[in-house]
Amino acid sequence: MRDDPRDPRFPTSPGFWRSPLRGPWFTSLLGLVLLAGITVLFVTGLASYAAYNPNLSPVNDKTPDKGILGFYLFAWPTNPHWLYRLNQGVHVTLGITLIPVLLAKLWSVVPRLFALPPARSLAHALERISLLLLVGGALFEFVTGVLNVQLDYVFPGSFYPLHFYGAWVFFAAFVAHALLKTPTALRNLRRLREEKDDLVSPRPARPTVSRRGALWFVGGGSLLLFATTVGQNLGGPLRRTALLAPHGGGEPGSGPNGFQINKTAAYAGIDTAETAEDTWRLVVTGRTGTVRLSRARLAELPLYSAALPIACVEGWSTPDQWWRGVRLSDLAALVGYEDDPPDVFVESLQRHGAFRKAALRANQVADPRSLLALYVNGEELSPDHGHPARIIVPAAPGVLNTKWVARMTFGDL
């Protein structure tokens, strides 16, 4: 005898799902929180991608086949200098904070995933397909995002295209779902008495917690994740609370160079013989030719200071550090660009890994705070912070602040 799908022993039966917490009001409240939060995540994610200036140079573009999906890209500004730090801090911290809300929302609607028949009409079939894209896309985006924050690159391929394309698929399904469900969700929240629908169990079990208690549980989980993440972006004493962040905890080391490091000199394969005073030379090329500058020669040029943070895509950042070095615009002037500094292509001594080379836009080169830094906080750069010289640019992602600079080529890219 065939099993009856209406048998309460099977998940295809409404009677299988007995939690008295499920219902339109609970689901609607969680949905509206996600509506606001995911919209912010999408906007800050697009802005983060634009900050790499992917249309400037192929080396900056990690999704070269994006096509029309890059319609919104713009030249990333240098003001305010903490722009990328704020944008990426919000993106990562909010994403992690929303995880309990997302899981609670999925739990609240799980009976619908098993509802039979799978499609009652063409419109219903399209709605179910959009839900698969919505749920699958949400899980994919949140999982890959968390793995990236934890520096666990266990997924196939590069994080950048996977997360970028996945975001567009997920957000398209999210917008369609929001347009269909937001009016209903608002009506559900205004009702004092909850209507019966397919989420309300026909045979509810005895409640062990109230809906208000369940919301406090979800909110408490989000607050805990917020508290153990946000410190990686704020810095100072709060960095010790960033238990879930690879760059959380106390400041690494002490002294002027005692602040967060992404890639060490050893990881990048930097040979100390290449960075020694008598061997290292910066090669600068431009309109009037090429010049080679030792570190001592660079130190004889006019030096300027700027207080700037380092902010990375994983959501961590440093407080403002005092950098001192030669303005990028002055280096451009050495090779024929006295009044109109152009784009620049920067190459590092780094042996492997992404962003061994990077491009900066003309507006970034022209900013007086953009430096080829030789010193930080009154001391020479340490090897891990880019000795003998590194780029530091206001509002730019950390990977564009190239360390161990070997060559700079000015001109249209």
Side-chain angles (χ1 to χ4, degrees):
M1 188 175 79
R2 297 180 62 185
D3 294 328
D4 186 351
R6 294 169 297 179
D7 190 318
R9 293 175 299 175
F10 295 96
T12 52
S13 169
F16 178 85
W17 308 97
R18 302 193 60 195
S19 173
L21 298 179
R22 289 191 180 92
W25 186 88
F26 187 73
T27 295
S28 296
L29 180 59
L30 296 173
L32 290 175
V33 171
L34 289 174
L35 175 63
I38 288 176
T39 300
V40 174
L41 284 181
F42 186 69
V43 172
T44 53
L46 292 185
S48 177
Y49 181 67
Y52 285 77
N53 286 320
N55 281 349
L56 175 63
S57 170
V59 298
N60 288 21
D61 192 357
K62 299 303 174 183
T63 54
D65 299 321
K66 59 187 175 298
I68 61 171
L69 296 181
F71 70 92
Y72 71 94
L73 294 173
F74 55 94
W76 189 251
T78 56
N79 285 304
H81 74 275
W82 39 259
L83 178 61
Y84 191 75
R85 181 184 184 189
L86 173 65
N87 182 88
Q88 204 59 17
V90 169
H91 183 74
V92 171
T93 303
L94 179 60
I96 292 176
T97 300
L98 286 177
I99 289 175
V101 183
L102 174 68
L103 295 178
K105 177 66 160 58
L106 294 178
W107 172 86
S108 74
V109 297
V110 71
R112 288 178 176 165
L113 299 179
F114 294 89
L116 294 177
R120 296 189 294 269
S121 64
L122 177 60
H124 185 243
L126 292 175
E127 181 182 355
R128 294 296 292 273
I129 292 173
S130 71
L131 283 177
L132 287 176
L133 294 175
L134 180 68
V135 174
L139 294 175
F140 179 82
E141 286 299 291
F142 276 80
V143 169
T144 56
V146 169
L147 288 174
N148 182 64
V149 169
Q150 297 300 322
L151 308 180
D152 289 330
Y153 302 110
V154 297
F155 35 79
S158 170
F159 166 76
Y160 295 97
L162 288 173
H163 205 65
F164 179 79
Y165 294 128
W168 280 106
V169 172
F170 164 58
F171 198 71
F174 178 77
V175 169
H177 185 74
L179 291 175
L180 289 172
K181 299 298 184 181
T182 298
T184 302
L186 292 173
R187 286 196 301 271
N188 288 334
L189 291 182
R190 286 195 293 264
R191 291 193 179 104
L192 296 179
R193 297 184 62 186
E194 186 158 67
E195 284 188 350
K196 296 291 184 181
D197 75 350
D198 58 337
L199 293 178
V200 179
S201 175
R203 49 192 293 268
R206 184 184 299 275
T208 56
V209 65
S210 67
R211 282 207 178 116
R212 180 174 296 180
L215 290 175
W216 275 110
F217 180 75
V218 174
S222 290
L223 184 61
L224 179 63
L225 290 178
F226 175 83
T228 52
T229 303
V230 69
Q232 70 167 344
N233 186 250
L234 296 179
L238 285 177
R239 191 177 295 280
R240 295 185 180 278
T241 69
L243 303 178
L244 298 181
H247 296 279
E251 306 295 331
S254 59
N257 280 274
F259 55 95
Q260 268 61 31
I261 296 165
N262 193 351
K263 297 175 182 176
T264 65
Y267 172 87
I270 303 302
D271 187 342
T272 55
E274 296 177 287
T275 60
E277 183 71 28
D278 58 344
T279 57
W280 179 84
R281 296 293 183 270
L282 173 68
V283 180
V284 184
T285 302
R287 186 157 52 194
T288 58
T290 298
V291 297
R292 295 170 62 85
L293 301 167
S294 67
R295 197 173 188 282
R297 178 70 183 94
L298 284 168
E300 292 173 355
L301 296 175
L303 301 182
Y304 299 88
S305 296
L308 301 172
I310 297 174
C312 281
V313 68
E314 296 93 359
W316 68 270
S317 65
T318 71
D320 288 356
Q321 309 294 324
W322 276 101
W323 307 91
R324 188 163 177 80
V326 182
R327 285 176 172 167
L328 299 188
S329 56
D330 288 349
L331 291 172
L334 290 178
V335 288
Y337 299 98
E338 291 82 2
D339 301 318
D340 56 340
D343 307 331
V344 64
F345 184 66
V346 183
E347 300 174 72
S348 172
L349 293 173
Q350 183 177 334
R351 290 289 182 271
H352 54 80
F355 292 101
R356 294 176 292 109
K357 304 173 182 179
L360 298 172
R361 286 194 184 276
N363 69 304
Q364 294 173 311
V365 176
D367 193 295
R369 297 164 297 177
S370 295
L371 304 175
L372 179 71
L374 307 176
Y375 308 93
V376 63
N377 300 322
E379 187 175 279
E380 284 193 5
L381 296 169
S382 69
D384 287 341
H385 279 303
H387 179 83
R390 68 169 297 161
I391 299 293
I392 188 72
V393 174
V399 290
L400 298 186
N401 293 317
T402 308
K403 298 194 285 189
W404 313 292
V405 176
R407 179 183 292 272
M408 301 176 69
T409 303
F410 290 91
D412 294 334
L413 301 181

